[in-house]
Each structure stands twice: as C-alpha cells, then as structure tokens.
Amino acid sequence: MTTQNPLSVIIVGAGFGGLAAAIECVNRGMKVTIIEKYADSNSQGDILDIFPNGGRVIKAWNEGKVGEEIHASGCNKIYDMEIHKYDGKFISTVPWAINETERDLTYAGHRGKLHSIILDYAKTLVPDLRIGVGVIAYLENDKKAGVTLSTGETLWADCVIAADGPRSIAREQVLGLFNEDETNTDSKWAVFRTFFKTDEASRAILKERGLFKEDRDTLRFWMCDNLTLLAFVWNDGLDVAWALVHPDDRESKEGWGNSNIADPDHLRKWMSYFSGTDAQTLLDITPERKSIDFKLVYRPPISKWTSTGGRTILIGDAAHANLPTAGQGASQAVEDAITVAYCLQNCEGDVRLALEATQRIRFHRSNAVHKSGQANRDAFFKTPWEDIEADPDKFTRKRWPKLKIWDPLEFAEKQFPKVAKDIKDNVPGSPEELAVPVPDGGYWYVPGS
Ligand SMILES: Cc1cc2nc3c(=O)[nH]c(=O)nc-3n(C[C@H](O)[C@H](O)[C@H](O)COP(=O)(O)OP(=O)(O)OC[C@H]3O[C@@H](n4cnc5c(N)ncnc54)[C@H](O)[C@@H]3O)c2cc1C
C-alpha cells in the first residue's frame, strides 16, 4: 500500500474494539475516521481485564507507554485469585499469571480509566475522531461503504468496521439478523456490579477482614450454587469493585448506566447467601446507589461477520458478545482489531478479501472463547462441594484453566497467505469449513499439566 493512496476506514464505536482497530489501522498507514455515540462512556463500568492475548497488542503501542500508564493506574499487584466457599471457608488459590511475562501483558483496572488512557492515545493518532455523534444507517455500494450520522451527514470510505457493541445496529442493518435464534439475548442471568472509592473507615474494615493488604491488590472469589461473587480491591485500598452473578429473577435490562441502579432489598436477598462472611462486609461498606443490576449480556455465535457486499465487517461485542464469565470481552475485541488491520494492510487494495480473511482467521477461535464463557457459567449452576473440599487444588486446576499465551498478530501473519489464496481461488465450503481451525492443544494452559 502506498502512502499517496491509503485505504480509508470508518470505524463505528470507540470502545476497546473500535479504538484498537483505529490505532492498528493508522499505524499501518490507513486513513481512519472514528464515530462514537456517547460523550461520557468513561463514567460507566467498573473493573475490566485484558489478558495477554489482547495485552501484547497494547504493550506495543507508543513504545510501551500506554501499557505502562495502565499498569501505573490499575490493578498491577494481583498475584492470585483466592477461592472461597459461600460460608467463608478458604478453598484454594489460582495464580493470576503463570509467569512474569504473562503478568506484564495482563492489564486490569477501572474500565473508564483504561478506556481514557487508550482514547487519549488514539486522539494523538486519529485527527478525525467524532465523539457524541451516532451512526444511524450503514450504507454500501460496489465501490465504497459508508454511514449516515445522526447529524444527517453521510461519510464514505473503502470499508467500514462496525465495533458498535452488543446492541449493535449493524447486526440488523449489515447482517440482516432478525431471526429469533440469532438475536436471542436472554442469558437468563443477571449481575449486580459495583465500583466505589473507599474512605478511611471502610479501608480500615477491609484491612481488618484481609480484603486490603498493603503489599498487593486483592482478588477474591466466593461460590454458592447459582451464585458467583468476585471482588477486587486495588490502588492501595482506595478502589473497590465487586460483581455478583445471579439468576435473573426480575427480568433485568442490559446497560451500564444509572437506569439500572440495584434495588437494595433485591441486592440484600442475593447477598444473604454469603451472610457472616467477608463478602457481606463488602455490601456493608458499599455506598448507596453504587450498585447496578443488569442482564448478563449474551449473544449467540453467528456464522457471518461481513456484509453481503463485503465492505463492512462487525468486530468485538457486535460480532460475538462473550459472557463475562469468559473474562475475554475486551481481549477478543482487540484480537479482532489487530487481525482486521493486518489483513487490510496486506490485501493489496482488495478490502473485500481483507474482511473475509479476518472473519475466517478469527471465527473458530472467537467461538471457542465464547463457549468457554458458557461452560464457566454453567459450571457454577450446581457446585460439587464434597469433591471440591476433598481435593481443592484439582478443582481449581480444572475450573480455571488459562488461555495459553496467544499472539493474534503472529496467528494472522501465519494464516493470511493460505486464507487469501482460498478466497481468490473461490474454494467452496460453509463459513465454518473455510475458517481457520484452532490449533490442537494450543488453547488452554492447565496449571500443573
Ligand atoms: C459504558 C460501558 C461500560 C462497560 N463496563 C465494563 C466493565 O466495567 N467491565 C467489563 O468487563 N466490561 C465492560 N464493558 C464491556 C466491555 O467494554 C466490552 O465487552 C469489550 O471491551 C468489547 O468492546 P467493544 O468495543 O466490542 O464494545 P463496547 O465496549 O460495547 O463499545 C461499543 C461502542 O460503540 C458505541 N456505539 C454503539 N452504537 C453506536 C452507534 N450507532 N454510533 C456510534 N457509536 C456507537 C458505544 O457507545 C460504545 O462506546 C462496558 C461497555 C460499555 C459500553
């Protein structure tokens, strides 16, 4: 690709997927426009993790400075996850990272803070970043793809990357997903989520209950049949986030905003399963109106991420909303982002080939991660306490395998030539058959195996 005639790319959504795609496309010489609907999405959310498969992409930005800034502000002192029974009994620990390299490539912290750091970096690279303007329609003809904005303006480019999240309008407009099976969003689970800043008194309580330690951040997990509770305490005890997954007994709605503030009685009802434990302590020090309750965001896997005309692709949660129990929402969005940027860089101007190749390279891996989220959630449906207490380490090894260190760029580099050739040769097959298989044994690292 020459710099005189760079590919032009419109990216819809400035979440982690959209921003990563923008950064990776600009760094490969493309001309990028980003459109983001909300002006203040950084004020929402609580804890977010990016694991090494996404983290290695971030680490490469601005000579490592973006990653350093995230580590400096986030949870950089987690060593393990402490697993507890609902009655408070300690079961076992699961290492947060298997070695120092993995630790360095794992980013965690307040979602808004992480997002602001990456957004600030993207602003230095992308002059045409429009915040507070929504896309209302996706357009495409034989030569271009485009969008209509809420202002009425229409923009055209060589291709459009729709990174517009789980409530994507691209799913309907670009992919034509109207079918009940494909659009079914009822995960049947909901989650109370909380983030707050502590005061001195609550910090003292956290310290007394071993939830705040001076030399490390805390990550503690409690299990009960049908319920999982995860708590983070970091930033020298100043920041606390916790999430309690529970059956959706109130037909909750999706959304990170204030419209989903949890009803205190409802919260107490589900928290009572952990009464008498440190988990209850968390609730006691949580300020009023700081917890939201919303439906676990879920979308079934879909077989196609690209438009019929081939110039628009969905990535991130728009294409595959993993359950949070996979812990991979942002990491998978970043994997999509670097893959699409690499394919566009190497497509010799054939953007349709690039987007199709992206889908084939990412499809099976993304689906495998998607399934892991469901498997993790279902595993908590009935907890075999006798087996766990008889051999806690065996249980934790089995239940929390880690994604092997995975390099999405290396994978794309390796797979692209063959995939591009298949596309040019019109090799027949279903999307599933044409997509690149996940390598055997290349997926999970099981501690102790
Ligand atoms: C406000 C918010 C808070 C979150 N908090 C957490 C959290 O605390 N912990 C966690 O694990 N995950 C959180 N998530 C989800 C997590 O960020 C994603 O699962 C993951 O990062 C995948 O990112 P994505 O870019 O694919 O989608 P998203 O992060 O959902 O980003 C999609 C973006 O597209 C924008 N958008 C949507 N429609 C349009 C449109 N028509 N025109 C223009 N822009 C549009 C949205 O405003 C959003 O910024 C949050 C998401 C959001 C939006």
Side-chain angles (χ1 to χ4, degrees):
M1 186 170 33
T2 63
T3 45
Q4 279 88 7
N5 191 17
L7 284 181
S8 56
V9 183
I10 294 170
I11 297 175
V12 183
F16 289 88
L19 290 176
I23 292 165
E24 292 298 328
C25 286
V26 169
N27 285 343
R28 288 174 169 74
M30 288 165 239
K31 183 172 169 287
V32 169
T33 298
I34 309 181
I35 313 294
E36 167 57 49
K37 180 160 70 167
Y38 289 115
D40 68 341
S41 68
N42 286 345
S43 62
Q44 293 163 0
D46 40 74
I47 191 86
L48 184 126
D49 313 308
I50 300 179
F51 290 100
N53 50 318
R56 66 171 59 247
V57 175
I58 291 172
K59 188 173 168 67
W61 293 343
N62 202 13
E63 298 168 343
K65 293 194 184 73
V66 176
E68 281 165 23
E69 205 182 332
I70 294 174
H71 275 326
S73 72
C75 312
N76 190 24
K77 289 190 291 181
I78 301 177
Y79 297 97
D80 41 38
M81 175 160 70
E82 307 158 12
I83 313 290
H84 288 248
K85 195 178 169 182
Y86 56 85
D87 60 5
K89 182 178 173 188
F90 170 73
I91 301 290
S92 184
T93 55
V94 180
W96 177 241
I98 55 174
N99 56 33
E100 273 312 304
T101 309
E102 199 190 270
R103 270 184 68 72
D104 187 41
L105 295 174
T106 303
Y107 298 105
H110 186 263
R111 191 245 179 210
K113 184 66 189 167
L114 263 66
H115 186 260
S116 306
I117 293 169
I118 295 174
L119 178 64
D120 286 348
Y121 175 52
K123 282 179 181 167
T124 66
L125 301 176
V126 186
D128 196 6
L129 201 165
R130 308 185 192 193
I131 302 230
V133 186
V135 162
I136 56 167
Y138 287 84
L139 314 164
E140 200 164 324
N141 61 35
D142 198 35
K143 297 204 164 48
K144 296 278 168 192
V147 288
T148 304
L149 306 183
S150 47
T151 53
E153 190 182 353
T154 292
L155 307 176
W156 291 97
D158 292 311
C159 65
V160 171
I161 298 175
D164 55 349
R167 285 185 282 177
S168 159
I169 58 168
R171 286 172 76 88
E172 195 177 299
Q173 291 192 13
V174 175
L175 303 181
L177 293 183
F178 301 104
N179 179 308
E180 174 70 11
D181 292 340
E182 293 167 317
T183 56
N184 176 19
T185 60
D186 188 356
S187 65
K188 301 194 169 36
W189 294 81
V191 56
F192 294 111
R193 295 191 70 130
T194 301
F195 169 78
F196 61 94
K197 291 272 181 195
T198 57
D199 56 19
E200 217 167 295
S202 48
R203 259 192 314 282
I205 296 170
L206 287 171
K207 199 167 177 181
E208 190 191 307
R209 307 300 300 247
L211 280 157
F212 160 44
K213 301 178 194 86
E214 312 255 339
D215 63 336
R216 58 181 57 209
D217 300 326
T218 303
L219 169 52
R220 196 171 289 182
F221 192 82
W222 293 265
M223 293 182 298
C224 188
D225 291 351
N226 284 338
L227 300 173
T228 57
L229 172 64
L230 188 64
F232 287 77
V233 181
W234 75 101
N235 194 13
D236 294 327
L238 293 169
D239 292 339
V240 174
W242 57 264
L244 171 58
V245 178
H246 63 94
D248 183 11
D249 55 339
R250 292 240 184 138
E251 299 188 354
S252 57
K253 308 237 174 325
E254 290 178 357
W256 296 91
N258 286 346
S259 56
N260 278 343
I261 298 281
D263 167 2
D265 290 337
H266 190 207
L267 193 50
R268 269 194 292 276
K269 166 188 150 182
W270 286 111
M271 206 51 143
S272 69
Y273 288 86
F274 302 94
S275 61
T277 71
D278 298 334
Q280 187 76 45
T281 308
L282 284 174
L283 183 59
D284 294 342
I285 62 164
T286 298
E288 272 181 32
R289 297 182 60 78
K290 282 289 181 188
S291 301
I292 57 170
D293 181 33
F294 70 96
K295 192 177 275 295
L296 267 196
V297 175
Y298 170 81
R299 302 289 180 272
I302 51 175
S303 60
K304 198 165 155 35
W305 301 1
T306 53
S307 58
T308 311
R311 288 183 177 273
T312 306
I313 189 167
L314 277 68
I315 68 164
D317 277 1
H320 46 72
N322 306 290
L323 284 170
T325 40
Q328 277 282 320
S331 305
Q332 288 302 302
V334 172
E335 283 199 26
D336 292 346
I338 195 159
T339 307
V340 73
Y342 176 82
C343 293
L344 284 167
Q345 180 191 20
N346 289 282
C347 71
E348 295 170 351
D350 186 349
V351 298
R352 280 186 270 226
L353 179 142
L355 302 192
E356 177 62 27
T358 302
Q359 161 172 279
R360 291 188 190 186
I361 292 169
R362 287 286 302 129
F363 183 76
H364 283 305
R365 173 156 165 87
S366 154
N367 281 349
V369 172
H370 204 290
K371 280 202 195 99
S372 77
Q374 284 162 270
N376 286 352
R377 180 206 53 195
D378 294 345
F380 300 121
F381 193 67
K382 205 91 191 105
T383 318
W385 286 113
E386 277 183 22
D387 297 352
I388 295 170
E389 290 179 68
D391 191 346
D393 291 338
K394 184 173 168 207
F395 171 76
T396 51
R397 274 202 307 277
K398 212 169 89 188
R399 186 52 56 220
W400 280 277
K402 295 188 126 340
L403 281 175
K404 273 205 169 157
I405 290 208
W406 178 277
D407 184 337
L409 178 59
E410 190 182 89
F411 191 62
E413 285 167 352
K414 200 162 152 204
Q415 304 302 333
F416 183 77
K418 158 96 173 55
V419 169
K421 183 169 182 318
D422 284 357
I423 297 168
K424 284 182 192 155
D425 292 349
N426 280 320
V427 172
S430 66
E432 271 199 68
E433 290 161 347
L434 294 167
V436 178
V438 178
D440 270 354
Y443 195 60
W444 297 111
Y445 167 87
V446 181
S449 67

